[in-house]
């Protein structure tokens, strides 16, 4: 069974190499706004050493971590997968042991590996060049911190994958569900800490942030790796229950979607 899945993931990896140019373009489009933000923060810190407990080097480090996490955790398959469902092209995966969700996951992981191989060297080079212009706080971590941070990256990828998958599955009910992709971008950007550290947001936004699990994608792992929070039993339980909640929602949506699905001529 393991050899079968490894063969499938290898095939998806090779297929993803066809789109390496598009992947490189996506990397540039994802990273460019963050560099603009860094120059804006540099202007905001003009004549000031600390704002809301952050120095400019710490803010720079924060956004470097955001860019790295974004590269590792993001998923962008909603549009074409929704089209696939509307056109009735998923029958094969409803009659084979390798399910439709497994097919989506394997292809997304294959593309993710290619994306990281292409983007990480360029991203690191861009960060080094940017650090020559804007000071960045050195990041000192232990093996335990690195291990926990890697766990947060896996969780963040899983959460972004689930949200994208929910949008795809809603196509079984709403033909225009792919439009929810924009709502996902806005929600993740606002309520995960990707756009701005939560300390700089209004109080009402902080209350929403505290309730939603999106903070585990960016804000919590960044605060952990920067030494601002500790990995407590309570935090571990919150992460675990957030994981269970997203798995439960995915299973419910998939079971109801399969029941509702009817292909052309089926």
């Amino acid at each position: 069974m393991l050899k079968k899945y490894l063969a499938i993931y290898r095939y998806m990896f090779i297929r993803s190499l066809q789109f390496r140019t598009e992947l490189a373009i996506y990397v540039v489009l994802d990273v460019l706004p963050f560099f603009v933000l860094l120059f804006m923060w540099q202007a905001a810190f003009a004549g000031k050493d600390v704002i809301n407990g952050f120095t400019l080097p710490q803010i720079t480090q924060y956004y470097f971590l955001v860019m790295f996490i974004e590269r590792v955790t993001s998923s962008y398959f909603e549009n074409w997968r929704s089209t696939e469902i509307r056109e009735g092209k998923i029958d094969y995966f409803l009659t084979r042991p390798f399910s439709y969700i497994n097919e989506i996951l394997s292809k997304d992981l294959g593309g993710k590996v290619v994306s990281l191989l292409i983007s990480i060297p360029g991203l690191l080079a861009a960060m080094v060049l940017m650090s020559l212009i804007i000071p960045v706080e050195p990041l000192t971590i232990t093996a335990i911190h690195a291990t926990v941070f890697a766990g947060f990256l896996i969780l963040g990828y899983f959460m972004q994958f689930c949200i994208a998958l929910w949008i795809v599955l809603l196509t079984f009910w709403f033909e225009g569900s792919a439009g929810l992709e924009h709502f996902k971008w806005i929600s993740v950007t606002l309520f995960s800490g990707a756009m701005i550290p939560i300390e700089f947001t209004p109080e009402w936004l902080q209350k929403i942030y505290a309730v939603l699990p999106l903070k585990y994608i960016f804000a919590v792992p960044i605060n952990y790796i920067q030494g601002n929070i500790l990995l407590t039993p309570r935090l571990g339980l919150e992460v675990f229950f957030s994981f269970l909640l997203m798995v439960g929602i995915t299973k419910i949506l998939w079971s109801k979607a399969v029941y509702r699905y009817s292909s052309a001529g089926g």
Side-chain angles (χ1 to χ4, degrees):
M1 181 64 71
L2 179 60
K3 288 183 178 180
K4 181 182 74 172
Y5 277 93
L6 288 176
I8 292 170
Y9 288 128
R10 179 176 177 273
Y11 169 70
M12 296 303 181
F13 171 81
I14 294 172
R15 283 193 59 182
S16 298
L17 288 173
Q18 303 175 52
F19 308 102
R20 54 190 179 275
T21 303
E22 289 85 348
L23 289 171
I25 293 173
Y26 275 125
V27 171
V28 174
L29 293 177
D30 282 344
V31 169
L32 188 59
F34 290 110
F35 286 119
V36 174
L37 276 173
L38 287 176
F39 284 116
M40 292 176 61
W41 278 107
Q42 186 181 36
F45 272 91
K48 300 177 182 178
D49 294 327
V50 180
I51 301 178
N52 281 14
F54 281 85
T55 64
L56 180 58
Q58 289 172 334
I59 284 289
T60 307
Q61 182 192 79
Y62 185 95
Y63 281 105
F64 280 1
L65 289 168
V66 168
M67 285 186 279
F68 177 74
I69 294 173
E70 173 66 21
R71 281 289 86 221
V72 175
T73 65
S74 58
S75 292
Y76 301 107
F77 55 80
E78 301 96 313
N79 200 320
W80 69 277
R81 288 294 185 176
S82 296
T83 301
E84 194 174 54
I85 291 174
R86 286 197 300 270
E87 295 177 354
K89 295 180 178 179
I90 69 168
D91 300 62
Y92 177 85
F93 298 103
L94 301 180
T95 59
R96 293 291 186 273
F98 195 69
S99 73
Y100 185 53
I101 292 180
N102 282 338
E103 201 270 342
I104 294 176
L105 178 60
S106 62
K107 188 167 290 187
D108 194 56
L109 283 174
K112 179 63 64 181
V113 173
V114 175
S115 174
L116 292 176
L117 290 176
I118 292 174
S119 63
I120 292 301
L123 183 60
L124 291 175
M127 289 178 176
V128 170
L129 292 174
M130 182 59 68
S131 66
L132 299 177
I133 303 173
I134 301 178
V136 57
E137 184 82 9
L139 190 62
T140 304
I141 59 174
T142 65
I144 295 177
H145 279 85
T147 302
V148 174
F149 185 70
F152 275 120
L153 291 178
I154 295 172
L155 175 68
Y157 170 76
F158 168 79
M159 295 180 74
Q160 296 237 51
F161 176 83
C162 279
I163 296 171
L165 183 61
W166 295 347
I167 294 173
V168 172
L169 295 180
L170 286 174
T171 307
F172 288 97
W173 289 272
F174 309 106
E175 185 174 349
S177 67
L180 293 173
E181 183 178 1
H182 303 290
F183 179 74
K184 182 198 80 169
W185 293 343
I186 294 172
S187 299
V188 172
T189 300
L190 285 179
F191 303 123
S192 68
M195 175 179 286
I196 188 172
I198 192 65
E199 291 81 1
F200 292 89
T201 60
E203 186 176 346
W204 65 267
L205 190 61
Q206 294 185 29
K207 291 179 180 179
I208 299 175
Y209 159 88
V211 175
L212 296 178
L214 296 176
K215 59 181 176 287
Y216 300 120
I217 302 176
F218 291 100
V220 171
I222 291 176
N223 277 301
Y224 173 78
I225 204 71
Q226 288 185 324
N228 298 325
I229 61 173
L230 299 175
L231 184 63
T232 63
R234 178 177 177 178
L235 177 59
L237 285 174
E238 290 176 355
V239 170
F240 178 70
F241 283 116
S242 297
F243 173 82
L244 288 183
L245 176 63
M246 300 195 81
V247 170
I249 293 174
T250 302
K251 287 187 175 181
I252 292 172
L253 279 176
W254 176 240
S255 63
K256 293 185 178 297
V258 171
Y259 179 77
R260 185 178 180 85
Y261 181 72
S262 60
S263 61

